[in-house]
Amino acid sequence: MHNIQEIIETRDFIISKTDQRPVIGLILGSGLGSLADDIQNAVKIPYSEIPHFAKSEAIGHANELVIGELNGKIVAAMKGRFHYYEGFTLDEVTFPVRVMKALGIENVIITNACGAVNTSFNPGDLMLISDHINLTGANPLIGPNNDELGTRFPDLSDVYNKELRSIATKVANEQNMQLQQGVYAWWSGPTYETPAEIRMIRTLGADAVGMSTVPEAIVATHGGMKVLGISCLTNMACGILDQPLNHDEVIEVASQVKVKFVGLVKGILKEI
Ligand code: HPA
C-alpha cells in the first residue's frame, strides 16, 4: 500500500512541473486519449518520470499525465491508465486518483471503452454510468484503512454523482446528442466474457461490461471526490452478434466517436 508520504512526494513532483493547478481530473479510456490533445498550455509528464507511479505498457495508450486548460478549466488528464488485468495491484491502479485528490481535485471524470450488454444500445453510443456492479471480488480498499484518506466502510449509494450526471444529460441534450445511461459491470479481463457470462451479467442488471473504471471510482469515493463516469460502447458484448470480439475493433470504434466524446466532455467541463 502506498502511504501518505508517497502521495505527497508525487503531488509535490507534479506541482514542481507547472504553475497550473488542476481542478478536474480526467481518466481517458482506450481510444479516447485524443481528448488530451486539445489541452492548451499542456505540460506532459510521462508516467515513467512520476515518482511512485507504476509503469504501463498497455496497447493503445500514450501513458502520460497532461496538465493544462480545457474549455476554461485546468485539468489533469491521464492519457492511459493502469489496468488490473496487466498485473498491477489495485493500489497501483488507483494511486493516481489519490494524487489527484492531493492536488486539490474534487471532481473526476472517468472514461472507458466497454461492451454493450443492453441490446437496445449500439456500438458507438456513449453511456453515462449510473451505477456499477463489481464482479471481480477484488476491491482497491482491501487492506489496512488510512483514516486520513477516507472511512473504513465507504457508502457507495451515490458513486456516480447525481448532480454531475444531470449536468452531463443537460449538455448532451443541448448538443442534440443521444446519451445512454446504465449500469457498468467490472470484469477483470483480460479475456472478454463468454456468451453465458454476458447472459448472466444482463440478468444481474448491468447494461455494459468492461475492465476498468470501478477501482478508480471506489477510491475517488473513498477520498470524498465526485465521480462522473462515461463509457464508450465499442461493441455489442460477446454472443449478442454472431461475430468474435477483438481489441482492434474496440480502438477503431472508440476513435470514431472521438468528436462526439470530446464535444460532450468539453461541454461538461464548462458547466462544472
Ligand atoms: N467486454 C469487456 N471489456 C470490453 C469490451 C467487452 O465487450 N469491449 C471493450 N472493453
Side-chain angles (χ1 to χ4, degrees), residues 30 112-117 184-185 187 189-193 198 208-212 232-238 245-247 250:
S30 305
N112 61 58
C114 67
V117 172
Y184 176 94
W187 187 254
T191 55
Y192 292 113
E193 307 71 26
I198 291 302
V209 61
M211 306 177 194
S212 67
C232 169
L233 303 160
T234 52
N235 56 280
M236 298 313 289
C238 185
L245 308 186
N246 72 77
H247 185 67
V250 168

Side-chain angles (χ1 to χ4, degrees), residues 5-217:
Q5 189 54 37
E6 291 169 322
I7 296 170
I8 290 170
E9 279 169 20
T10 307
R11 178 199 64 188
D12 290 349
F13 171 83
I14 293 167
I15 285 177
S16 77
K17 295 283 175 188
T18 173
D19 292 337
Q20 305 180 88
R21 296 289 167 258
V23 293
I24 296 171
L26 288 170
I27 301 178
L28 302 174
S30 305
L32 303 171
S34 61
L35 176 61
D37 300 339
D38 289 358
I39 295 175
Q40 308 292 306
N41 304 321
V43 173
K44 300 177 181 177
I45 316 172
Y47 296 164
S48 56
E49 290 177 14
I50 303 179
H52 311 301
F53 262 45
K55 317 285 172 246
S56 172
E57 258 107 51
I59 42 175
H61 294 308
N63 302 319
E64 59 191 13
L65 183 69
V66 185
I67 297 177
E69 190 181 326
L70 194 56
N71 234 20
K73 295 274 159 46
I74 306 295
V75 301
M78 287 185 69
K79 202 172 171 186
R81 58 146 63 82
F82 304 102
H83 292 96
Y84 188 43
Y85 63 73
E86 293 172 280
F88 296 113
T89 64
L90 289 179
D91 183 46
E92 290 173 319
V93 169
T94 58
F95 180 70
V97 177
R98 295 290 186 204
V99 174
M100 284 181 179
K101 172 74 186 184
L103 283 166
I105 290 172
E106 295 295 344
N107 294 293
V108 56
I109 302 178
I110 309 181
T111 69
N112 61 58
C114 67
V117 172
N118 183 327
T119 54
S120 70
F121 293 171
N122 292 299
D125 284 355
L126 296 177
M127 184 190 91
L128 209 49
I129 304 177
S130 57
D131 202 349
H132 75 231
I133 297 176
N134 179 355
L135 292 172
T136 67
N139 192 300
L141 302 180
I142 289 175
N145 189 60
N146 189 327
D147 294 338
E148 286 178 55
L149 298 179
T151 180
R152 171 77 285 189
F153 300 108
D155 170 54
L156 296 187
S157 50
D158 190 29
V159 176
Y160 305 91
N161 182 264
K162 277 196 197 71
E163 204 184 315
L164 293 181
R165 271 194 282 148
S166 69
I167 289 173
T169 307
K170 185 179 131 237
V171 169
N173 284 339
E174 283 166 5
Q175 297 182 359
N176 288 320
M177 183 192 297
Q178 188 189 31
L179 183 60
Q180 310 286 10
Q181 187 152 181
V183 174
Y184 176 94
W186 176 33
W187 187 254
S188 79
T191 55
Y192 292 113
E193 307 71 26
T194 65
E197 285 161 348
I198 291 302
R199 289 192 296 276
M200 172 192 79
I201 289 168
R202 186 179 303 115
T203 303
L204 292 176
D207 299 286
V209 61
M211 306 177 194
S212 67
T213 300
V214 169
E216 293 105 319

